[in-house]
Amino acid sequence: MTLSEKNLKNEIYDFKKFYHLIKAFTISTNISCKAFNLNGEKIASFKGPESDTSFCKLIQKLNQEKNYCMQSYIYGGQQSEKLGEAYIYFCPYGLVNWTVPVIKENKVRCFLTAGPVLMHEVDNLLVENAVKMCPMLDKRRKEIKSKLSKIIVVDTIRVKYLADLLLKLAKIIMAEDAVDLNNKHELNIFNAHLVENINEIKRTYTLQGKNNKISNFQEKEANLITKVTSGDKEGAKKSLNQFLGYIFFYNADNIEIIKCKVIELMIRLLQVVTEVGVDYNVVSGIKYKYLKNLINAGDFNEISKNILEVLDYLIDCLTPLINVKNRNTILIAINYIRNNYHKDINLEEVAAQVGLHPVNLSKMFKKETGKKYTDYLNEVRIEASKNLLLRDDLPLVQVAFSVGFNDQSYFSKIFKKIEGVSPNKWRVLQKEQKNFN
Amino acid sequence: MDREILNELTVALQKGDAIKTQKFVKIALKKGYEPEQILTEGLVSSMNTIAEKFKKKQIFVPDLLLATRAMNAGIFILKPKLKKQLFSPIGKVLIGTIEGDLHDIGKNLVKVFLERAGFEVIDLGNDVPVNYFIEAIKKFKPQILGLSASLTTTMYGMRDVIKALEKEGLRENLLIVVGGVPITESFATGIGADIYDMDGTKVADKAKEKLKCSNF
């Protein structure tokens, strides 16, 4: 290992950890890894135990002046920083590398580049490309072919996961700064989906024409609002993405209209979340900040970034509220069931007590308690029936009616399902137990 | 004509096998397929399938890289057949993707069709900064400039290039073609481009038409 420790120590939080992680990577994967500064200069190098870099050494010596390798390291590093993920690429000579950034205090300090590997066997195309890039190799094809053959071949799926692994290691080194990188990555994914949505609208537009324009637009807004109020962050982002794709498609030539529509949407969202119970003071602060940002936004990309931040923020405000509210609702429902189980109560009746649609209550009940409404009701009834069963004089049919069942055989069936024995058997067992004691 | 060879070509390309891709392109040519058909129905349609698989997370970036390598290998064989042997090209086109944008498949496709239509094409590659475009226009003096962007984050770079051209006094006597996945007709008009089509294969014909009318 060669290492300019002094250079590197200043750039990294925990140098020891860094050293161990990269060493673990190179030894376990047998793939070399280098650290570069922002100028593409090598500041540390860890060699995979059996990896062969004789091709790289030869070519760097011959093409010293051209610096292709250095340029590709810098370029790969910049891309990985921009994308917030590992950047996998062919080097100018056709070998595969991947790069991740190392960030400290919001600044990229160095890049880690792993490789080179090949994703296919050495072929003539690879050799000819090397000769094209370095004409001095013209008469040395055999030699480069043999040097290239020493580079390990790794299949595509392994390359993907090796790149993910290097990024995960880099994130450990970066500690809190990894959050920035994650945000960048998420924004890039959001933008990629946006492009897909625009493209989808382009395709359907040519098929269906303008007819669906207005209904679609309102539908998309309504969709988004439902997702926001139910606290479904991923779903809301998806809906926002579709909404943005839609307004961009119809107003791409006029950024001011796009701004107006997005500002309208923001105001509407703020209204909705305050209606649900978010404190107005909490949202009014961001209202002015983002209103300003949106008005001053220079392009569509800035607009979508800002409204995405608003959405994120609002849903975060809503989430605890939604959970608490749900819990209260369920408690009221449970109380009602416990007080009225002996009557002929149904889901509609309980839902009416908490002001919800029966379907929504049923969903929420399952989510919060892990049980279906009917199962819970049956459990309460069976529990109550046990007290009555302990009284010898009470016939089963009366026990069943007393706890709210309309039918004795159904009562017996449910009892057996929950307790594992029939009510009669249970009664006998309880008596035996009592005598025994 | 049996399509078996195109199917084999598709399989080879999707596996990222550059050597086999070249082999099947050669066989298809021998069997009398038109180079354009091999390009669109063999290479481009395979890349579309690959893009779909990528979207569904069935394959990942390294597979894309390998498939792109195979496609370029195939295009390398097709290229001499696609080019019309013209002693004097019908016009000169400068083409490139906007700074920050590494997606050049669409641009490469348009380039092939432009060359096929008889244009001389100067390719600046991908991730091209605004000043490179300006310098290249001064140097090569093309009649047409082709700009490509595949991301919402890079599409406004097209507007920046057009603005810079206006500032430099280079906008007149220049037709601007724009394209890319997020680009729409109204966006293209809005930033002041002259030619746009959703279908990259139609751009060359549109450019030819427009150039005829403009007497540059």
Side-chain angles (χ1 to χ4, degrees):
Chain A
M1 184 198 73
T2 62
L3 191 67
S4 331
E5 282 192 22
K6 227 173 93 192
N7 288 338
L8 206 51
K9 270 184 173 163
N10 301 331
E11 310 295 0
I12 286 163
Y13 285 119
D14 187 341
F15 179 74
K16 259 193 187 162
K17 201 194 236 173
F18 171 85
Y19 177 88
H20 279 292
L21 286 174
I22 304 307
K23 195 173 168 191
F25 178 85
T26 50
I27 291 177
S28 60
T29 62
N30 201 13
I31 290 164
S32 301
C33 186
K34 304 174 205 78
F36 294 95
N37 65 16
L38 303 190
N39 301 321
E41 291 152 1
K42 193 158 68 182
I43 48 177
S45 156
F46 305 78
K47 195 173 163 295
E50 292 156 39
S51 67
D52 187 288
T53 48
S54 57
F55 172 80
C56 296
K57 276 186 187 142
L58 172 72
I59 220 137
Q60 276 167 11
K61 202 174 122 198
L62 294 175
N63 260 358
Q64 213 167 9
E65 284 169 17
K66 291 193 177 126
N67 256 339
Y68 290 140
C69 297
M70 196 192 251
Q71 284 164 18
S72 81
Y73 294 139
I74 298 175
Y75 189 76
Q78 288 169 343
Q79 292 306 324
S80 69
E81 186 209 347
K82 205 158 64 179
L83 299 170
E85 62 181 2
Y87 180 68
I88 307 166
Y89 62 98
F90 282 124
C91 83
Y93 301 97
L95 311 182
V96 177
N97 291 302
W98 52 97
T99 298
V100 300
V102 179
I103 300 170
K104 182 183 170 185
E105 289 152 6
N106 293 326
K107 260 174 77 185
V108 178
R109 302 302 176 127
C110 66
F111 302 112
L112 290 174
T113 299
V117 301
L118 284 173
M119 294 196 294
H120 52 81
E121 296 298 331
V122 177
D123 54 26
N124 281 342
L125 291 171
L126 189 68
V127 177
E128 289 313 315
N129 179 56
V131 176
K132 194 178 130 204
M133 295 301 292
C134 181
M136 271 185 273
L137 291 171
D138 191 24
K139 299 239 161 68
R140 296 166 75 174
R141 282 183 168 77
K142 246 193 183 160
E143 185 193 343
I144 33 175
K145 199 166 182 176
S146 107
K147 282 194 192 304
L148 283 168
S149 303
K150 287 180 191 156
I151 295 171
I152 49 170
V153 178
V154 180
D155 62 47
T156 50
I157 190 91
R158 260 192 79 205
V159 169
K160 181 237 175 332
Y161 284 104
L162 282 164
D164 283 356
L165 180 62
L166 190 66
L167 182 68
K168 290 224 159 77
L169 296 181
K171 281 182 182 171
I172 295 175
I173 300 163
M174 287 185 260
E176 287 161 15
D177 284 297
V179 177
D180 272 352
L181 212 58
N182 290 343
N183 289 345
K184 264 185 199 166
H185 183 53
E186 270 184 27
L187 184 63
N188 278 317
I189 290 179
F190 185 81
N191 284 334
H193 287 158
L194 192 52
V195 172
E196 276 167 31
N197 282 331
I198 294 170
N199 197 31
E200 194 54 43
I201 300 166
K202 262 159 78 172
R203 263 190 250 164
T204 43
Y205 181 81
T206 34
L207 291 176
Q208 298 172 351
K210 275 186 179 176
N211 302 343
N212 295 335
K213 187 173 168 180
I214 291 166
S215 64
N216 261 341
F217 182 73
Q218 283 161 347
E219 195 186 299
K220 285 188 166 59
E221 196 189 51
N223 249 343
L224 173 57
I225 287 170
T226 319
K227 296 267 162 63
V228 170
T229 47
S230 63
D232 174 4
K233 201 173 200 172
E234 283 315 303
K237 275 187 187 174
K238 230 174 168 178
S239 296
L240 174 67
N241 209 309
Q242 286 170 348
F243 177 89
L244 287 173
Y246 205 79
I247 47 175
F248 175 77
F249 180 77
Y250 285 104
N251 306 288
D253 53 340
N254 195 332
I255 188 110
E256 296 309 319
I257 292 184
I258 298 181
K259 277 185 194 176
C260 284
K261 298 221 172 204
V262 172
I263 289 170
E264 273 169 25
L265 176 75
M266 182 180 83
I267 305 280
R268 180 96 183 82
L269 286 175
L270 292 171
Q271 223 173 18
V272 168
V273 296
T274 42
E275 275 165 20
V276 180
V278 174
D279 187 354
Y280 181 76
N281 292 327
V282 173
V283 294
S284 65
I286 70 153
K287 185 172 165 182
Y288 288 107
K289 180 184 165 198
Y290 283 99
L291 206 54
K292 215 170 115 192
N293 285 0
L294 285 169
I295 290 169
N296 296 331
D299 59 38
F300 179 60
N301 193 48
E302 255 179 77
I303 295 174
S304 57
K305 184 174 169 268
N306 275 295
I307 189 76
L308 180 64
E309 282 174 20
V310 172
L311 187 78
D312 252 336
Y313 182 84
L314 292 183
I315 294 180
D316 285 345
C317 289
L318 263 176
T319 311
L321 215 72
I322 289 168
N323 288 344
V324 170
K325 220 179 142 197
N326 285 355
R327 231 166 284 146
N328 285 340
T329 309
I330 295 305
L331 279 177
I332 294 170
I334 283 176
N335 244 339
Y336 187 80
I337 295 168
R338 287 195 161 277
N339 291 331
N340 297 284
Y341 67 89
H342 54 284
K343 296 180 196 159
D344 184 17
I345 53 169
N346 53 30
L347 182 66
E348 281 75 16
E349 205 179 318
V350 184
Q353 291 299 316
V354 291
L356 277 177
H357 189 274
V359 175
N360 291 341
L361 172 67
S362 153
K363 269 190 205 159
M364 196 195 280
F365 200 94
K366 177 91 208 300
K367 201 176 158 197
E368 293 290 316
T369 66
K371 287 174 191 164
K372 280 188 193 161
Y373 157 79
T374 39
D375 289 344
Y376 180 73
L377 177 62
N378 283 338
E379 273 178 36
V380 173
R381 283 175 169 168
I382 298 300
E383 206 49 49
S385 76
K386 285 185 190 168
N387 283 332
L388 299 175
L389 284 172
L390 290 176
R391 282 165 51 188
D392 287 344
D393 53 334
L394 224 51
L396 273 192
V397 63
Q398 206 176 329
V399 175
F401 278 115
S402 305
V403 294
F405 288 103
N406 293 327
D407 173 342
Q408 188 205 320
S409 70
Y410 183 64
F411 162 65
S412 297
K413 194 180 151 197
I414 297 296
F415 193 97
K416 191 163 184 198
K417 196 175 152 196
I418 294 175
E419 297 297 323
V421 288
S422 70
N424 269 331
K425 180 95 185 171
W426 190 84
R427 207 174 222 176
V428 174
L429 284 172
Q430 289 301 313
K431 220 187 267 172
E432 280 173 12
Q433 181 88 23
K434 205 176 159 192
N435 292 338
F436 181 77
N437 285 339
Chain B
M1 204 182 285
D2 73 297
R3 291 187 54 92
E4 204 176 312
I5 193 70
L6 288 187
N7 293 339
E8 281 187 272
L9 172 60
T10 306
V11 174
L13 194 143
Q14 291 191 13
K15 279 188 184 162
D17 190 330
I19 297 295
K20 274 195 181 157
T21 302
Q22 287 198 329
K23 185 179 127 192
F24 292 129
V25 168
K26 281 178 193 162
I27 297 177
L29 283 170
K30 257 190 202 157
K31 285 200 169 184
Y33 281 96
E34 283 297 314
E36 274 139 332
Q37 194 187 358
I38 301 173
L39 180 72
T40 50
E41 291 173 30
L43 303 178
V44 175
S45 70
S46 304
M47 285 311 283
N48 287 339
T49 314
I50 284 171
E52 278 302 313
K53 283 189 184 169
F54 180 70
K55 251 186 248 169
K56 290 180 190 156
K57 293 191 177 158
Q58 291 166 345
I59 57 165
F60 302 103
V61 173
D63 303 288
L64 286 188
L65 286 174
L66 217 48
T68 312
R69 177 180 188 260
M71 187 190 73
N72 289 336
I75 288 182
F76 183 77
I77 303 290
L78 275 182
K79 229 174 176 182
K81 314 279 175 195
L82 281 165
K83 256 189 195 169
K84 269 191 181 167
Q85 292 300 316
L86 287 178
F87 291 105
S88 56
I90 58 169
K92 202 189 277 181
V93 186
L94 193 74
I95 196 167
T97 77
I98 295 298
E99 183 169 17
D101 211 317
L102 310 176
H103 307 74
D104 59 359
I105 293 178
K107 180 216 70 185
N108 291 344
L109 178 70
V110 170
K111 179 183 161 188
V112 166
F113 277 90
L114 285 166
E115 283 175 339
R116 180 74 170 154
F119 286 101
E120 178 193 355
V121 182
I122 299 151
D123 187 357
L124 297 181
N126 57 19
D127 198 2
V128 183
V130 177
N131 59 325
Y132 280 33
F133 277 114
I134 303 295
E135 291 311 312
I137 283 171
K138 284 180 186 164
K139 187 174 163 194
F140 298 108
K141 303 191 171 50
Q143 290 94 358
I144 298 175
L145 171 66
L147 301 172
S148 158
S150 300
L151 305 163
T152 50
T153 42
T154 51
M155 62 188 183
Y156 286 92
M158 295 177 161
R159 179 190 61 187
D160 298 341
V161 172
I162 295 175
K163 275 188 179 164
L165 288 170
E166 283 164 359
K167 204 173 153 199
E168 295 276 331
L170 296 166
R171 178 67 183 92
E172 277 174 36
N173 298 337
L174 185 69
L175 284 174
I176 294 177
V177 190
V178 296
V181 194
I183 310 304
T184 64
E185 182 103 51
S186 60
F187 178 80
T189 331
I191 59 167
D194 304 301
I195 303 164
Y196 162 82
D197 199 291
M198 206 177 126
D199 184 349
T201 61
K202 289 181 187 152
V203 166
D205 290 337
K206 278 197 175 175
K208 215 169 160 179
E209 282 289 305
K210 266 253 158 95
L211 192 62
K212 257 190 219 161
C213 310
S214 52
N215 295 326
F216 291 165

